[in-house]
Amino acid sequence: GREIRIQVPAATGRMLAQSIFDREPVDASTTQNHRLQLVRVAGAVRDNTGSLDVFFTSLDPLPPTGTVLSVSIELPAEDNVAVLPTDAVYGGDLVYRITADNRLEGVSVERLGRRPGESKTQILVRSPELKAGDRILTSRLPAAVTGLQVEIIE
């Protein structure tokens, strides 16, 4: 009979609310492997937060009320999303594409979220300028700037 309340960005909350409206199940899990199911989304944005509350329930026995949990939500799939290592994103919203002549070209991206990777956290980004097959600088380069010539090492 208990719920877990999670604050999410308003855009994510709207996406989750649409999933409920469309009757598409949304699953989540805690780091203790409790499986969770989305049941409702708060109806109003909380003042000065830009976030919404979403509520999950579980058939698994949950930790005591008031316990702080880390939760991963399995969001609906989206088109045209690139998954990159955190070192590929500069200043929060810039990645560098490697052009045909091995020069860097800055591309602004929209950060959509993050997910656990095999060894590190991965960042989910989208940009109308990115196309399938683009080569992206994925390692930290302190002097990265548009026009810089690079050597590709794979």
Side-chain angles (χ1 to χ4, degrees), residues 1-6 20 26-30 33-41 54-63 69 71:
R2 288 186 294 153
E3 295 179 317
I4 293 178
R5 179 184 62 137
I6 304 168
I20 291 173
V26 175
D27 296 321
S29 60
T30 67
N33 294 320
H34 298 101
R35 298 297 304 163
L36 308 170
Q37 179 72 44
L38 178 66
V39 290
R40 63 190 174 100
V41 176
V54 296
F55 297 85
F56 287 82
T57 62
S58 178
L59 296 177
D60 299 335
L62 295 172
L69 300 171
V71 176

Side-chain angles (χ1 to χ4, degrees), residues 14-124:
R14 287 189 294 273
M15 181 189 336
L16 294 172
Q18 186 64 45
S19 294
I20 291 173
F21 181 79
D22 294 340
R23 298 182 188 268
E24 296 173 355
V26 175
D27 296 321
S29 60
T30 67
T31 52
Q32 294 84 15
N33 294 320
H34 298 101
R35 298 297 304 163
L36 308 170
Q37 179 72 44
L38 178 66
V39 290
R40 63 190 174 100
V41 176
V45 175
R46 299 179 71 186
D47 289 339
N48 301 320
T49 65
S51 64
L52 289 172
D53 290 339
V54 296
F55 297 85
F56 287 82
T57 62
S58 178
L59 296 177
D60 299 335
L62 295 172
T65 300
T67 302
V68 176
L69 300 171
S70 179
V71 176
S72 294
I73 302 172
E74 297 172 21
L75 297 175
E78 289 193 40
D79 293 329
N80 302 317
V81 174
V83 179
L84 301 171
T86 55
D87 285 346
V89 182
Y90 289 76
D93 66 349
L94 184 70
V95 300
Y96 287 98
R97 174 178 26 220
I98 302 171
T99 63
D101 62 350
N102 290 342
R103 294 195 179 275
L104 297 182
E105 175 182 36
V107 176
S108 292
V109 295
E110 172 191 7
R111 285 181 72 150
L112 301 172
R114 60 186 178 162
R115 72 176 192 187
E118 290 181 20
S119 61
K120 291 183 176 180
T121 300
Q122 298 172 326
I123 304 296
L124 306 168

